[in-house]
């Protein structure tokens, strides 16, 4: 994080008109903006935006790092809410577990390419982090809907149209398979891993296979796993079913 004192600072004059300078600042990539901050305090005085390239939230026993390239902050640190006006540019990672309550600030601008969360996230927070449509790598658990349930798989996939790598706990509804087939993903998947949390009868391997054929590279790493919360009495059945599903997927492009 870079801070400058701008009190009593002389107005900077440029050969270009102020409207051009403003356009440059508003359309720069974060790493270029940091360079401008380093070469001239004027840019910070006009833009007044702090930038973090990689933001990481950790448990309370984790070490904290505070700089413009990588900021690692503890989940209980009250300074977390002060990052609301920050520009998060490359990645956001949360390693804090569910026993630590986290309320994410509403970042002023979030254009991250990688989103990795080790615990559930609320739907409004997920939409904030993916709003820019820049996610290329997604690794999360599940997304809670406003009513307390889990949002279906298609509502997650549609928010990350440029994601090449996806891994998350999938919740299917009766409409999910057809909804997935109607999604127009902008890039081909190179990795797609689902951890199923549904009753087995809802998941349709044939429909899912059709979705993968439509949206994945020929060498895509695709795999299905079952969540561990299923009752122990189903263990052997699920192991067999999981193997069957993955054997089917291995034959996709053969």
């Amino acid at each position: 994080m870079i801070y400058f004192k701008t009190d009593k600072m002389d107005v900077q004059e440029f050969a270009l008109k102020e409207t051009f300078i403003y356009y440059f600042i508003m359309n720069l990539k974060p790493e270029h903006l940091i360079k401008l901050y380093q070469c001239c305090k004027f840019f910070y005085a006009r833009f007044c935006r702090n930038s973090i390239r990689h933001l990481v939230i950790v448990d309370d026993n984790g070490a904290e790092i505070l700089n413009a390239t990588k900021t690692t902050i503890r989940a209980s640190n009250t300074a977390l809410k002060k990052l609301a006006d920050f520009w998060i540019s490359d990645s956001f990672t949360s390693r804090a577990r569910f026993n630590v309550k986290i309320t994410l600030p509403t970042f002023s601008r979030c254009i991250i390419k990688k989103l990795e969360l080790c615990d559930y996230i609320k739907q409004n927070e997920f939409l904030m982090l993916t709003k820019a449509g820049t996610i290329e790598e997604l690794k999360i658990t599940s997304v809670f809907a406003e009513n307390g349930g889990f949002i279906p798989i298609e509502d997650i996939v549609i928010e990350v149209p440029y994601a090449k790598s996806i891994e998350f706990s999938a919740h299917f509804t009766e409409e999910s398979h057809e909804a997935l087939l109607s999604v127009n993903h902008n890039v081909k998947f190179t990795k797609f891993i689902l951890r199923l949390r549904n009753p087995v009868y809802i998941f349709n391997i044939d429909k899912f296979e059709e979705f993968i054929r439509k949206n994945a590279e020929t060498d895509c790493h695709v795999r299905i796993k079952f969540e561990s919360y299923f009752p122990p009495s189903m263990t052997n059945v699920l192991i067999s079913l999981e193997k069957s599903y993955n054997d089917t997927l291995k034959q996709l492009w053969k």
Side-chain angles (χ1 to χ4, degrees):
M1 292 172 281
I2 301 175
Y3 296 94
F4 297 109
K5 291 182 179 180
T6 59
D7 298 341
K8 300 180 181 180
M9 187 182 75
D10 293 335
V11 176
Q12 180 73 45
E13 297 291 340
F14 291 95
L16 294 174
K17 292 183 178 180
E18 184 174 325
T19 51
F20 285 102
I21 298 297
Y22 179 78
Y23 176 82
F24 293 154
I25 293 176
M26 294 302 295
N27 291 278
L28 284 172
K29 293 182 178 180
E31 57 267 33
H32 299 151
L33 184 63
I34 290 173
K35 290 295 183 184
L36 289 179
Y37 285 176
Q38 291 172 335
C39 72
C40 181
K41 290 183 179 181
F42 167 84
F43 290 108
Y44 183 84
R46 296 307 304 268
F47 195 64
C48 294
R49 180 67 44 76
N50 293 302
S51 174
I52 299 174
R53 296 189 64 180
H54 305 282
L55 176 61
V56 182
I57 299 177
V58 294
D59 287 321
D60 287 348
N61 59 353
E64 293 190 315
I65 303 171
L66 302 174
N67 61 55
T69 301
K70 181 177 181 179
T71 292
T72 301
I73 187 168
R74 291 170 184 163
S76 62
N77 191 332
T78 56
L80 177 60
K81 63 183 179 181
K82 297 180 181 179
L83 302 184
D85 293 328
F86 280 61
W87 187 354
I88 314 301
S89 66
D90 283 46
S91 70
F92 175 78
T93 303
S94 177
R95 300 195 180 106
R97 295 293 175 178
F98 63 88
N99 58 334
V100 181
K101 183 175 177 58
I102 303 174
T103 299
L104 293 180
T106 303
F107 301 119
S108 61
R109 194 170 183 188
C110 185
I111 54 172
I112 56 176
K113 301 177 182 67
K114 180 179 179 180
L115 175 61
E116 183 175 351
L117 309 171
C118 73
D119 200 9
Y120 306 120
I121 186 173
K122 294 181 236 177
Q123 186 174 11
N124 63 328
E125 294 176 334
F126 177 73
L127 293 176
M128 172 193 66
L129 294 172
T130 59
K131 181 180 179 180
T134 53
I135 299 289
E136 296 177 6
E137 184 177 347
L138 179 72
K139 186 176 181 181
I140 62 176
T141 303
S142 291
V143 181
F144 273 126
E146 299 300 327
N147 61 8
F150 294 105
I151 71 170
I153 179 174
E154 65 271 20
D155 288 349
I156 293 178
V157 174
I158 201 171
E159 295 298 333
V160 288
Y162 290 95
K164 295 181 179 180
S165 175
I166 286 183
E167 181 176 352
F168 64 103
S169 296
H171 178 75
F172 281 82
T173 66
E174 298 287 356
E175 296 78 28
S176 289
H177 295 93
E178 295 301 328
L180 275 178
L181 289 173
S182 67
V183 171
N184 294 316
H185 206 67
N186 291 349
V187 296
K188 296 289 186 180
F189 297 118
T190 57
K191 181 179 181 180
F192 203 103
I193 298 178
L194 291 183
R195 298 184 297 274
L196 293 175
R197 55 182 305 112
N198 284 86
V200 176
Y201 69 87
I202 292 181
F203 181 71
N204 186 315
I205 185 61
D206 294 327
K207 290 289 187 181
F208 180 70
E209 181 181 353
E210 188 178 349
F211 166 72
I212 291 296
R213 280 186 182 277
K214 175 185 174 184
N215 293 285
E217 297 281 3
T218 55
D219 59 347
C220 175
H221 174 61
V222 54
R223 186 168 178 80
I224 292 173
K225 302 178 181 179
F226 284 101
E227 291 281 15
S228 59
Y229 68 81
F230 282 99
S233 59
M234 292 186 63
T235 300
N236 291 335
V237 174
L238 293 178
I239 289 175
S240 177
L241 195 57
E242 184 179 297
K243 183 179 185 305
S244 174
Y245 285 165
N246 289 312
D247 286 345
T248 299
L249 295 171
K250 286 178 182 178
Q251 303 301 316
L252 276 174
W253 294 281
K254 290 185 178 180

